[in-house]
Amino acid sequence: MLNIRVQKTSNPKAKPAAGKLGFGQYFSDHMFVVDYLPEQGWVDPRIVPYGPLSLDPAASVLHYGQAMFEGMKAFCGVDQKMRLFRPDFHCGRLARGAPRICMPPVPQEIMMQGIEALIRVDQDWSPQAVGSSLYLRPTLIGTEAFLGVRASQKYVFFIIMSPVDSYYAEGVSPVRIHVEDKLIRAAPGGLGDVKAGANYAASILASTEAKKSGFAQVLWLDAVERKYIEEVGTMNVFFALGEKIKPTIVTPPLAGTILDGATRSSTIQVLRDLGYTVEERKLSMDEVVAHHQKGTLREAFGTGTAAVISPVGELHFKGEKITINGFKPGDLAQKLYEEITSIQYGKKSDRFGWTKEVALD
Ligand code: COI
């Protein structure tokens, strides 16, 4: 067991009103912090009052962007038990991604014990309503004060928590998407499969422009040919093609430029369990357009931790509008949302072994 020092706040904050949480606007009273030093490795794991970090202005994260993060959730179940959703997946992804930007992987036991200890200390920040959850943001940054371009020798790993509402106020609802054929998110050999802050920095201009034109997000195409579909906004993307009753589900493969999403992986498992054929393969916009013309483009949806399942109602591509399922949420998207959230809130048995109960005091 890790020896986590706990310093409680003397100034607890007022809790935000239920139903008005939004996403990532409020933060719990404490945070977990651990330092990495070149000689000692990971030292001084601690829970301290939530507040600003002290960073040297020359800290490498501020200049060369050595930063990555995770996004995961803890749910207060219908049985009042706290459950983490796929914590091993998130710990593994952070550990696997860190070496790509020359950061030390955070050991699984430090991350897991930090998460559980923080939830225990701030358990009364967990929203109760089904649909809401505690969003956890584990983050790893380079902190050495040095302006030469090389890997930092010092790091800080911290975890903060934000109570969040369900992404959808009134059920799962479809969005309008601009197919981005100029700007790219990630190129082969780059950082696309790592949850590095840099990928999100690269995405903001396209999503800002899209939002100005009335779209919710962009559909990213591949960096080489601007032909193959990669992700939708910050989410993985799925298309249901072919027969109406049991369409084939196609999602881009994990080939280096897209993120290995926890909800992507869960969606694939649920779909296969329900008897659907899921193909992880390259899918071009031309193929999607051809299915639309034939009337066999059944559904499209994004998958991510924040929204779980986000149906795509319209794609705008080179001046053409492609409406999907009459701009209504599809049966499959709704079924997947139900299946995954039922496991998250302990409404259904966890047949895939995805959740971990957090022992509360
Ligand atoms: C998600 O869909 O959960 C994300 O990755 C979005 C997050 C970066 C806010």
Side-chain angles (χ1 to χ4, degrees), residues 74-129:
F75 300 86
C76 178
V78 288
D79 50 6
Q80 295 300 303
K81 289 181 177 161
M82 280 298 286
R83 287 179 181 80
L84 285 161
F85 187 68
R86 309 207 63 178
D88 302 343
F89 187 101
H90 290 282
C91 291
R93 188 170 66 181
L94 187 79
R96 278 197 310 281
R100 174 62 182 85
I101 44 178
C102 292
M103 303 207 283
V106 179
Q108 168 120 359
E109 63 277 12
I110 294 185
M111 185 159 161
M112 268 313 305
Q113 290 178 39
I115 288 168
E116 293 191 66
L118 183 60
I119 291 177
R120 270 193 289 279
V121 169
D122 275 345
Q123 56 185 267
D124 53 350
W125 279 85
S126 167
Q128 303 290 308

Side-chain angles (χ1 to χ4, degrees), residues 19 21-23 73-78 127-135 163-169 171 305-308 337 341-342 344-345 347:
L21 302 173
F23 180 83
K73 282 178 172 173
F75 300 86
C76 178
V78 288
Q128 303 290 308
V130 166
S132 57
S133 56
L134 263 182
Y135 181 80
V164 299
D165 282 326
S166 162
Y167 207 77
Y168 303 103
T305 294
V308 188
Y337 184 80
T341 55
S342 297
Q344 290 173 332
Y345 290 98
K347 287 200 239 167

